[in-house]
Amino acid sequence: MKGKTKLRDLSNDELGERARELGEEVFNLRFQVSMAMAKNPARIGQARRELARVRTIMRARTLGLRRG
């Protein structure tokens, strides 16, 4: 997982791509967990949290908020 400061250094396009990748990963992990095929079921929580971080950074940039 990338640190929060590293996520903040990414461009808007890179954040959008990262959000798309994480969304796909969460979807795939949920499918694997439901089929009892997941190797690491705890990863779904990690991926969801990282996706939330990316979306939060994107929303803050949209609103023009700066971290103080």
Side-chain angles (χ1 to χ4, degrees):
M1 176 181 85
K2 294 185 177 188
K4 291 181 221 172
T5 55
K6 290 183 182 179
L7 286 174
R8 290 189 188 280
D9 293 338
L10 296 178
S11 71
N12 290 338
D13 292 336
E14 291 171 328
L15 281 174
E17 178 65 23
R18 185 73 181 140
R20 187 191 61 75
E21 291 171 359
L22 287 167
E24 287 180 10
E25 183 178 357
V26 169
F27 176 81
N28 290 332
L29 286 168
R30 285 177 56 202
F31 183 74
Q32 289 175 5
V33 167
S34 70
M35 300 295 290
M37 297 173 53
K39 294 177 183 161
N40 184 5
R43 176 66 183 134
I44 192 169
Q46 295 168 348
R48 289 181 67 208
R49 280 189 296 278
E50 188 173 351
L51 178 58
R53 286 185 188 106
V54 169
R55 287 182 176 168
T56 300
I57 293 168
M58 291 173 64
R59 179 69 175 152
R61 287 183 183 178
T62 300
L63 296 176
L65 300 176
R66 295 274 178 199
R67 186 166 179 161

